[in-house]
Amino acid sequence: MFIYAGAEERRVNSSRGKRGDVTAEQLFLMFEVLLAIIIFLSLMNFVVSLKDNTLFEKNYLARDLALLTDTVYAAPEQLSYTYTENVDRFGMNIKDGKVSIFDEPEWKTDQGRTATFFLYGKDADQQLEPFNRNPFTTSSPEKKNLLYQKQGTTVAISEVKNP
Amino acid sequence: MNNKGSILADMTQFIPRFIFLVIAVVCLVVFIKGFIVVNVNVQDAEEMVLTNRLLFSPTAISYEDEFRSYPGTIDLPRFTSEHLEKSTSYTNSNTFAMKLELLKTNGKDPYPNSNTAYLHQTTYDKLEPLARTKLPGSGSAKLYERRMYVTVKGENRYQQAVLKITTVIANS
């Protein structure tokens, strides 16, 4: 009500030809419009950047594979399991109790800028053969799945062709 | 003088409008951020996998002969913190911890000649009081408690008991 009364007053003032009042009104309006445009553009920029952001997928894959590795360790007998999630876009390194997922060819170490990792528990009496997959150096058009195999006290991870 | 006064009055009137604009923008940002999920919380799954790993793994606390392991049958000599640390070794032990207790079938009294086994005991002592507060946030932890009937294999005899597993996982 207060704002409306003020606006009404300003409109009356401007109709009387007081140029200073009109300029102040326009100035504030321009400021608001400019602020709205800046906020809208920065939000749009933020939302568009999310399209290419793979952080969620990397987080998901790291956790999923680490928990899967724990589960395979827990198997009381021999086991063969095909992991059917799409991992073609990502490189991965599974060794020393850590699953690291990366999506850049420049990835060098676990401390790399884009690597995401999650931990699994090693077992002194069961050996996991280190697994490294880097699709950026050896590109293959074939889609591949991960195959977990446990035989005796040895756990091995390999790539198999997607059926 | 009148013009200056008028501008000042306009500015005063614009303060509520500006506050309203800020509230609208904050609501919009919070709304958009609410739709963006980056973190994946797997605490519940992690607890389940860890518990099953201790129960089912042939190298953990289950009894194992030359042919197979027996999930649900606890090998008493293996029921130690040292053995747990050996069979489930994490490079970072600060994120979760477990406490395993064997109780008599009444679920209260401790099972005779059994110790309490810990996985990451130091972390357990640190996180358990925090988890008991049930406070949310990254500084706290979540506590899970499970009880299950098991068979305990002592020296040449089998007895029924209750296995109580308390797991604490830090919120991250």
Side-chain angles (χ1 to χ4, degrees), chain A residues 70 120-122, chain B residues 46-47 49-51 53-54 60-61 79-90 92-101 116-125 127 165-169:
Chain A
D70 269 325
Y120 64 87
K122 288 184 290 182
Chain B
E46 202 178 348
E47 186 270 337
V49 168
L50 286 166
T51 305
R53 177 161 175 183
L54 292 184
I61 56 174
F79 197 79
T80 61
S81 301
E82 293 75 27
H83 188 83
L84 284 183
E85 301 279 358
K86 190 181 156 206
S87 65
T88 317
S89 158
Y90 280 78
N92 180 2
S93 60
N94 298 324
T95 53
F96 80 94
M98 297 175 98
K99 180 185 177 185
L100 283 77
E101 296 166 273
T116 300
Y118 287 92
L119 184 62
H120 310 155
Q121 184 173 2
T122 315
T123 307
Y124 186 88
D125 293 340
L127 291 181
I165 303 179
T166 313
T167 309
V168 281
I169 302 178

Side-chain angles (χ1 to χ4, degrees), chain A residues 2-3 6-7 9-10 13 18 20-21 24-25 28-29 31-32 35 39 43 46-47 50 55-56 59-60 63 67 69-71 73-77 96-98 118-126 150, chain B residues 2-3 6-7 10-14 16-18 21 25 28-29 32-33 36-42 45-46 49-50 52-53 56-59 67-69 71 83 86-92 95 172:
Chain A
F2 170 74
I3 295 167
E9 190 186 335
R10 280 196 304 279
N13 285 344
K18 288 189 177 181
D21 285 348
E25 173 83 28
F28 282 120
L29 196 66
F31 171 72
E32 281 184 344
L35 199 65
I39 290 164
L43 275 175
F46 174 65
V47 171
L50 288 174
L55 186 60
F56 177 81
N59 260 331
Y60 169 81
R63 281 159 173 71
L67 291 177
T69 309
D70 269 325
T71 308
Y73 267 128
E77 275 299 323
D96 297 333
K98 189 189 269 188
F118 203 73
L119 303 176
Y120 64 87
K122 288 184 290 182
D123 188 336
D125 297 321
Q126 298 187 80
K150 181 178 177 182
Chain B
N2 278 342
N3 276 347
S6 176
I7 292 170
D10 273 351
M11 283 178 73
T12 316
Q13 287 168 4
F14 266 82
R17 273 178 79 171
F18 185 73
L21 183 71
V25 167
L28 188 67
V29 170
I32 291 175
K33 286 259 183 188
I36 297 161
V37 182
V38 175
N39 292 321
V40 191
N41 189 346
V42 291
E46 202 178 348
V49 168
L50 286 166
N52 286 334
R53 177 161 175 183
F56 288 97
S57 174
T59 57
F67 304 110
R68 52 167 286 208
S69 66
H83 188 83
K86 190 181 156 206
S87 65
T88 317
S89 158
Y90 280 78
T91 48
N92 180 2
T95 53
S172 55

Side-chain angles (χ1 to χ4, degrees), chain B residues 19-36:
Chain B
I19 291 171
F20 177 76
L21 183 71
V22 169
I23 291 170
V25 167
V26 168
C27 287
L28 188 67
V29 170
V30 169
F31 184 71
I32 291 175
K33 286 259 183 188
F35 279 99
I36 297 161

Side-chain angles (χ1 to χ4, degrees), chain A residues 126-145:
Chain A
Q126 298 187 80
Q127 281 77 45
L128 178 110
E129 293 170 4
F131 175 73
N132 186 37
R133 178 182 188 276
N134 194 337
F136 311 109
T137 52
T138 53
S139 61
S140 165
E142 287 181 342
K143 286 188 182 295
K144 289 183 175 174
N145 289 333

